[in-house]
Amino acid sequence: MALNLDSLIKSIESLSQSLQASKDISVLDLPSNIKDTIRAGVIQNFEVCYEQSWKMMKRWLEENVGSSYVDGVTRRELFRVAFENKLIDDVDRWMDFHKSRNETSHTYDQATAEEVFSDAEFFVEDARFLLQAIEARND
């Protein structure tokens, strides 16, 4: 059964658009509070896109590999199975994204925001890779 990928597609688009907006405003002479608000939007879109990505990854693996391989496993193990099935290309990088996602939930300071914002720029490409891999085998 083919998975409905709409939520993943929309979350990747939103993250991409917010990242582009942050690049567009970086050259403008705007007050820092406006720039901070746009960066906060990038971080929020990163959070949503990350959640959509790993959940879609898990659904695809359940449908195509078997739920016994992914139910109740750690996130690292889930990413390892996804790597073995060519949905992602770097388990450690996805663990770093997971760490960044967790940091946004528990602490929020400027240093954390900068780190997560930086990760969001790398994450969007990996999310696109995941989407393409699932689309290619979504039947």
Side-chain angles (χ1 to χ4, degrees), residues 18-30:
S18 63
L19 282 165
Q20 186 57 51
S22 73
K23 290 175 184 170
D24 292 346
I25 62 137
S26 67
V27 297
L28 299 175
D29 188 26
L30 295 173

Side-chain angles (χ1 to χ4, degrees), residues 43-104:
I43 292 167
Q44 178 66 38
N45 280 304
F46 163 75
E47 293 171 352
V48 171
C49 191
Y50 172 80
E51 292 295 322
Q52 291 294 319
S53 295
W54 84 260
K55 288 176 182 178
M56 192 63 66
M57 179 189 303
K58 184 175 188 243
R59 283 185 203 120
W60 189 91
L61 291 168
E62 286 172 338
E63 291 287 326
N64 294 280
V65 178
S67 60
S68 62
Y69 290 95
V70 292
D71 285 346
V73 301
T74 64
R75 196 63 54 96
R76 179 172 290 284
E77 185 65 15
L78 177 73
F79 294 154
R80 185 191 63 74
V81 175
F83 173 78
E84 290 173 354
N85 285 274
K86 298 180 181 9
L87 297 181
I88 63 173
D89 62 359
D90 190 324
V91 172
D92 290 331
R93 194 165 56 236
W94 276 82
M95 286 305 298
D96 289 343
F97 297 143
H98 179 66
K99 178 181 173 243
S100 290
R101 169 60 182 103
N102 282 344
E103 286 178 354
T104 65

Side-chain angles (χ1 to χ4, degrees), residues 6-21:
D6 290 346
S7 60
L8 180 56
I9 292 167
K10 288 176 185 174
S11 69
I12 292 170
E13 288 173 0
S14 292
L15 178 56
S16 297
Q17 290 171 358
S18 63
L19 282 165
Q20 186 57 51

Side-chain angles (χ1 to χ4, degrees), residues 23 61 79 109 112 120-121 129 131:
K23 290 175 184 170
L61 291 168
F79 294 154
D109 58 33
T112 301
E121 293 183 282
F129 181 91
L131 175 61

